[in-house]
Amino acid sequence: MPTIAILDSGYKSYSYEKELFERRGFSLQLYQGEHDDPIAKRELARDAVGILIRGTRVDGEFFDFCPLLKAVVRYGVGYDNINLADATARGIRVANVQGYANFSVSDHTIALIYACARGLKIGAGMHAPFGSPPFADMFELHDKTLGIIGLGRIGSCVAQKASCLF
């Protein structure tokens, strides 16, 4: 049975992937070793026809070690950790997950806008004495213009969420 290997875990469950791949005749292997051990990850992927990754770097050396590999899918957007030229030269197809984390990243962006405007510090409690401003001149978001560089998937989510806030 051909194998699909997940090299970067981080989710509570992979039951969806397991059921999906098994229904199509693939077995699923999940790497559970040290996050920063590329040799162990490569060893798990040696006989895989497909791999799913998040941050693992894959390049020509990695591909040469995995002669059956036909596809790489990145849990996320972009291809920063995948050498596309090396994959293409070996006939390995590469894909990513469009729209990955659009909502959570845009939520975080809005939260950071408010945190910066209010002078909130990561992990800090209330300022003492309570009610006194963290800055001499408090920045107010009222009647301000939010500049968003790039209105791709995430920027558009930020714009939509912020449209009713400012």
Side-chain angles (χ1 to χ4, degrees):
M1 180 181 293
T3 300
I4 307 279
I6 297 177
L7 301 184
D8 296 310
S9 59
Y11 299 107
K12 290 180 185 176
S13 171
Y14 290 91
S15 59
Y16 175 81
E17 288 89 341
K18 183 174 175 36
E19 190 272 327
L20 176 77
F21 293 136
E22 286 180 355
R23 207 170 354 122
R24 289 167 173 78
F26 296 93
S27 68
L28 181 66
Q29 292 185 330
L30 178 61
Y31 175 76
Q32 296 180 332
E34 294 295 320
H35 170 72
D36 59 350
D37 188 348
I39 294 170
K41 289 181 179 185
R42 189 177 67 186
E43 190 62 43
L44 180 75
R46 176 193 295 269
D47 297 321
V49 295
I51 58 172
L52 288 87
I53 61 173
R54 291 170 90 185
T56 296
R57 295 198 167 280
V58 291
D59 57 15
E61 182 180 342
F62 184 98
F63 298 140
D64 289 343
F65 194 80
C66 303
L68 303 177
L69 193 61
K70 302 206 180 315
V72 176
V73 177
R74 181 165 185 263
Y75 280 116
V77 297
Y79 300 104
D80 297 352
N81 54 318
I82 303 169
N83 187 312
L84 295 175
D86 288 349
T88 301
R90 290 159 179 80
I92 298 170
R93 302 191 79 169
V94 178
N96 62 15
V97 181
Q98 296 296 315
Y100 182 88
N102 290 354
F103 298 111
S104 59
V105 172
S106 60
D107 288 348
H108 192 71
T109 301
I110 297 295
L112 288 174
I113 290 169
Y114 278 109
C116 289
R118 290 286 150 222
L120 301 178
K121 293 179 176 43
I122 295 173
M126 293 292 191
H127 292 282
F130 177 75
S132 61
F135 310 123
D137 295 319
M138 284 297 294
F139 181 82
E140 302 244 346
L141 295 176
H142 177 72
D143 286 335
K144 297 297 189 282
T145 300
L146 174 63
I148 300 173
I149 300 172
L151 290 174
R153 289 176 180 89
I154 294 171
S156 293
C157 282
V158 172
Q160 183 179 12
K161 289 173 183 179
S163 67
C164 62
L165 300 176
F166 304 109

